[in-house]
Amino acid sequence: MTLIALNKPYGVICQFSAHDKHPSLKDYVALPDVYPAGRLDTDSEGLLLLTDDGRLQAKITQPRYRLRKTYWAQVEGVPDDAALENLRRGVDLGDFVTRPAIVKRLPEPHNLWPRTPPIRVRKTVPDSWLEIVIDEGKNRQVRRMCARVGYPCLRLVRVGIGRIDLLAMDLQPGQWQYVQGMP
């Protein structure tokens, strides 16, 4: 079984086949027969696991296994306690209601790499950081949750999947390493 952790850069599409507008995983990982276990949208960055084991891929991606995924979200504005409580209880996104999340405010992280291109900054609107832990991982879920409670994501970085901590590995965007054991 092969399991690798990739720090997916912003703007990279989570597929190995070539894409007209974006770099793909093949531009960063030159290993045969590994596939992403889950996805990060093109505008998100951070931890992406790749494996050659179909059962492990299912355990990482399928919501029924409830594997925790940790995100750091830079949001527009400063969420009040009511918004944080809404995120914690679960958010009705129209097509489904999210499971409860673990949410806390973060100081501005100083151990993150700069994003290229940088986020848009508006002088009249502050931004802030949240740590959001979910055990689902549906399409654009964290972005949709934040927007629904009134605080859209400016930057979204997945920093953990299960026991695997991207920041502890000190991988820069585009770098990867082998991981031992299960997430």
Side-chain angles (χ1 to χ4, degrees), residues 78-142:
V78 180
D80 57 22
D81 290 339
L84 297 180
E85 190 55 35
N86 283 341
L87 292 168
R88 291 179 184 123
R89 278 196 313 262
V91 180
D92 185 347
L93 297 177
D95 51 341
F96 72 100
V97 177
T98 66
R99 291 182 188 152
I102 300 168
V103 181
K104 66 180 183 180
R105 292 180 179 95
L106 285 178
E108 183 173 346
H110 296 288
N111 52 343
L112 278 183
W113 51 90
R115 193 185 91 172
T116 304
I119 66 156
R120 63 178 165 79
V121 176
R122 297 188 335 182
K123 292 181 181 179
T124 59
V125 180
D127 60 71
S128 57
W129 286 88
L130 300 175
E131 180 177 88
I132 301 173
V133 181
I134 61 173
D135 62 8
E136 295 176 285
K138 296 184 180 178
N139 186 36
R140 299 181 67 86
Q141 180 176 337
V142 173

Side-chain angles (χ1 to χ4, degrees):
M1 174 192 79
T2 300
L3 179 63
I4 67 168
L6 167 69
N7 185 348
K8 185 192 91 64
Y10 174 87
V12 173
I13 193 160
C14 278
Q15 64 186 37
F16 277 95
S17 54
H19 190 273
D20 292 342
K21 296 181 182 179
H22 301 284
S24 70
L25 297 176
K26 74 177 178 108
D27 296 312
Y28 297 93
V29 179
L31 291 178
D33 302 322
V34 294
Y35 303 94
R39 298 193 176 274
L40 280 173
D41 63 66
T42 307
D43 296 333
S44 297
E45 55 195 299
L47 182 59
L48 181 66
L49 298 179
L50 298 101
T51 184
D52 60 355
D53 184 303
R55 287 189 295 178
L56 177 57
Q57 188 178 28
K59 287 182 179 181
I60 294 168
T61 60
Q62 293 180 10
R64 73 173 181 251
Y65 292 107
R66 295 187 174 224
L67 184 64
R68 288 186 171 179
K69 294 148 183 101
T70 304
Y71 296 84
W72 286 0
Q74 185 177 18
V75 297
E76 188 173 86
V78 180
D80 57 22
D81 290 339
L84 297 180
E85 190 55 35
N86 283 341
L87 292 168
R88 291 179 184 123
R89 278 196 313 262
V91 180
D92 185 347
L93 297 177
D95 51 341
F96 72 100
V97 177
T98 66
R99 291 182 188 152
I102 300 168
V103 181
K104 66 180 183 180
R105 292 180 179 95
L106 285 178
E108 183 173 346
H110 296 288
N111 52 343
L112 278 183
W113 51 90
R115 193 185 91 172
T116 304
I119 66 156
R120 63 178 165 79
V121 176
R122 297 188 335 182
K123 292 181 181 179
T124 59
V125 180
D127 60 71
S128 57
W129 286 88
L130 300 175
E131 180 177 88
I132 301 173
V133 181
I134 61 173
D135 62 8
E136 295 176 285
K138 296 184 180 178
N139 186 36
R140 299 181 67 86
Q141 180 176 337
V142 173
R143 288 183 181 281
R144 293 175 64 201
M145 289 169 64
C146 291
R148 181 60 62 123
V149 299
Y151 299 92
C153 283
L154 301 171
R155 184 177 183 191
L156 186 61
V157 182
R158 184 161 55 200
V159 296
I161 298 175
R163 67 169 184 78
I164 300 172
D165 181 343
L166 177 66
L167 300 174
M169 290 186 275
D170 197 31
L171 295 174
Q172 293 302 304
Q175 292 181 332
W176 62 271
Q177 74 178 43
Y178 289 99
V179 176
Q180 298 298 316
M182 301 290 280

